[in-house]
Amino acid sequence: MNLSRKVDQLKHFKFWRFVSSGPNTEYGLEKKWAYYDQDFVDREAAKPLHKLTPTQIMFHGKFADGSHLVKSAHYLQQELPRRIARHIKDFQSLPYVVLINPIMQEVYELYLRAFRKLVHVTEIDNLEKERQYSFLLSQLLNDHKDVVTYLAKAFRQVKKFVPYEVLGDLAERTLTSRLGIRLLAEHHLALRHKKEHFIGIIGTQTSLKHIIERCVINCKDLCQHRFGYSPAVYVSGHTKATFPYIPAPVEYIMQELIKNSMRATVVRHIENPFEMPPIEVTICNNDEYFTIKISDKGGGIPDSQLSDIFQYSFTTSTDNEGNLCETEDTFDNFSRAANDKGIGGVLSGYGFGLPSAAAYAKFLGGSLTLVSMYGLGTDVFLKLIHINQPNCFRI
Ligand code: ADP
Ligand code: MG
């Protein structure tokens, strides 16, 4: 490790100790700010959250004078600091050995910086202030778009030091709470622009077939780039169904599942690349919920691994020679999805795909079920509740 990196780490270390241990005169001015923040953090974190159903956010109304934007920004001004404060406290409660990991600190400091910026915004009571606030929100969304990537890297570096539950629970809470925050912020920003068949982030005529087709294009690119081949994907069932939904998280989940199926199929059939069995995606829609089944003939998953595949950081990702790949290359090759909307980054080789997809499905009031027929292939079922249902999720 070179000297400047070490000094950098020590700097972080000092900051951390200070933040987590309260006032300490040794650090002068830094102390004042950090203590000030911590006080705020504790107070905000203790406040209740006001979660909204998609229907509530969809029917907030739209007024020609833009007052709906001021109202929406005002809600976020109250809501976001308390949600971010909870993240910060979550990080602060981690074991010391995890805290001193430089990547973990990077994520922690991102949240701390976002918190500072958001709590210093003055009351939003006119459109000019709303415009400035929206600018800040889009900056923050951009700053935080790689948080899941950082988390996955940090997870891998520190997992040997602490029991799985400590990190697994943190990853689960961070991913789902972050999804909620991003959806709310993106909804507000989307309200500012008119887009056909959309109210904010809600697509009024969401087509699962179109979402799947977009994912297939991205995944095929990644798969071709990595292996030189990619399997065909057929979509059947209720392909004409359209309904109001939030497409972004479904797209993220589908992308992870199709990527897994493509990888398994290509690895299994690499000897006969021109006779690769297609991946079959079936859509089923009814009044209460919709289900998407992804069926591949990628050889399935051994029974001995079935209890691990939904654990964060479990992967059997291999390079071309079949060795367990621990390099950054796999990650880079298979992780650059063209449609990364910053909901969760797009990961492979880090073992975050299945658990994050399952966490998002649960957040959306649904489930992700995997059935493996070891030796033949895998079926994965994504089941999500419609947003007009009384027991729908809250963001
Ligand atoms: P990653 O793709 O980064 O390895 P995931 O969480 O997406 O992480 O998947 C974890 C593991 O589950 C994979 O490494 C693979 O062993 C297994 N797996 C997931 N989906 C499939 C599938 N469709 N067919 C075979 N194995 C799969
Ligand atoms: Mg994966």
Side-chain angles (χ1 to χ4, degrees):
M1 188 188 301
N2 66 33
L3 190 64
S4 70
R5 182 146 175 75
K6 205 158 192 164
V7 169
D8 215 20
Q9 278 196 3
L10 283 172
K11 220 166 64 196
H12 283 305
F13 170 69
K14 208 162 79 171
F15 186 56
W16 246 119
R17 219 184 64 171
F18 171 58
V19 167
S20 50
S21 64
N24 185 328
T25 46
E26 212 184 317
Y27 306 117
L29 261 184
E30 230 185 9
K31 171 212 151 209
K32 193 171 157 231
W33 281 105
Y35 182 59
Y36 181 70
D37 279 345
Q38 187 60 42
D39 197 28
F40 253 127
V41 169
D42 290 341
R43 263 191 284 146
E44 286 294 326
K47 291 181 183 168
L49 303 187
H50 293 296
K51 295 191 168 194
L52 304 173
T53 65
T55 327
Q56 280 171 323
I57 65 170
M58 193 158 64
F59 294 117
H60 259 169
K62 187 172 171 143
F63 303 96
D65 62 358
S67 58
H68 62 293
L69 291 176
V70 177
K71 211 171 125 195
S72 163
H74 193 76
Y75 163 73
L76 292 181
Q77 190 183 21
Q78 311 285 314
E79 191 65 14
L80 296 189
R82 48 189 87 173
R83 295 196 184 201
I84 292 172
R86 289 178 183 211
H87 269 297
I88 292 171
K89 295 212 39 122
D90 225 4
F91 278 95
Q92 290 175 347
S93 66
L94 282 171
Y96 194 63
V97 65
V98 180
L99 292 185
I100 58 169
N101 177 276
I103 306 177
M104 211 51 117
Q105 286 181 28
E106 190 80 32
V107 178
Y108 168 72
E109 285 177 22
L110 268 174
Y111 279 114
L112 209 54
R113 273 201 295 275
F115 182 78
R116 275 194 196 139
K117 287 184 181 171
L118 288 168
V119 290
H120 285 117
V121 175
T122 54
E123 172 108 7
I124 301 167
D125 49 11
N126 61 46
L127 271 174
E128 175 53 23
K129 285 189 183 166
E130 183 279 327
R131 197 189 56 80
Q132 288 169 8
Y133 187 70
S134 294
F135 183 69
L136 173 64
L137 281 185
S138 52
Q139 265 185 338
L140 290 176
L141 282 173
N142 192 44
D143 290 350
H144 285 241
K145 72 178 173 7
D146 296 325
V147 158
V148 183
T149 310
Y150 292 151
L151 210 60
K153 287 185 178 181
F155 203 117
R156 191 148 95 171
Q157 289 176 4
V158 298
K159 67 177 176 186
K160 52 182 172 292
F161 302 123
V162 282
Y164 172 78
E165 288 67 34
V166 173
L167 293 174
D169 290 353
L170 174 87
E172 193 88 356
R173 281 194 303 273
T174 307
L175 286 179
T176 49
S177 157
R178 179 176 178 275
L179 175 62
I181 292 173
R182 289 189 84 84
L183 289 179
L184 289 176
E186 276 167 9
H187 180 70
H188 176 78
L189 294 177
L191 281 179
R192 309 179 87 242
H193 306 284
K194 208 173 152 40
K195 189 174 166 191
E196 208 184 351
H197 305 312
F198 270 86
I199 300 175
I201 51 166
I202 297 165
T204 50
Q205 296 181 23
T206 302
S207 155
L208 295 176
K209 181 171 177 269
H210 290 162
I211 292 180
I212 294 162
E213 282 169 352
R214 279 200 297 273
C215 292
V216 169
I217 292 171
N218 290 328
C219 294
K220 267 185 157 290
D221 272 1
L222 295 166
C223 198
Q224 289 280 354
H225 182 70
R226 172 79 168 83
F227 296 107
Y229 306 100
S230 64
V233 180
Y234 297 144
V235 186
S236 63
H238 296 151
T239 51
K240 293 199 168 66
T242 60
F243 46 81
Y245 204 75
I246 309 172
V250 182
E251 197 161 327
Y252 172 82
I253 297 172
M254 286 309 298
Q255 180 125 315
E256 290 303 323
L257 301 179
I258 293 173
K259 236 169 43 167
N260 281 349
S261 285
M262 282 200 179
R263 179 196 287 275
T265 305
V266 174
V267 169
R268 174 91 170 167
H269 299 274
I270 199 78
E271 305 294 326
N272 274 320
F274 298 108
E275 284 170 32
M276 237 179 257
I279 294 165
E280 288 176 31
V281 182
T282 316
I283 298 167
C284 167
N285 182 43
N286 60 44
D287 290 344
E288 277 173 57
Y289 58 85
F290 57 90
T291 308
I292 306 175
K293 180 173 88 163
I294 302 103
S295 204
D296 69 60
K297 297 219 166 49
I301 299 161
D303 291 5
S304 59
Q305 285 172 4
L306 282 176
S307 57
D308 296 329
I309 51 167
F310 282 98
Q311 292 216 336
Y312 289 93
S313 210
F314 174 84
T315 181
T316 56
S317 186
T318 55
D319 63 16
N320 290 338
E321 281 80 47
N323 303 315
L324 190 67
C325 185
E326 286 290 327
T327 65
E328 298 290 298
D329 289 321
T330 307
F331 174 70
D332 282 345
N333 282 342
F334 225 66
S335 69
R336 284 197 195 118
N339 74 335
D340 179 6
K341 293 196 169 59
I343 294 168
V346 180
L347 304 164
S348 180
Y350 269 61
F352 259 55
L354 274 183
S356 60
Y360 288 169
K362 202 165 139 200
F363 176 93
L364 300 171
S367 62
L368 190 70
T369 316
L370 183 146
V371 181
S372 156
M373 288 191 283
Y374 184 48
L376 183 70
T378 306
D379 287 352
V380 185
F381 297 83
L382 171 68
K383 180 178 167 184
L384 297 175
I385 187 164
H386 277 301
I387 58 173
N388 61 1
Q389 291 300 295
N391 54 342
C392 174
F393 61 95
R394 283 171 181 268
I395 301 173

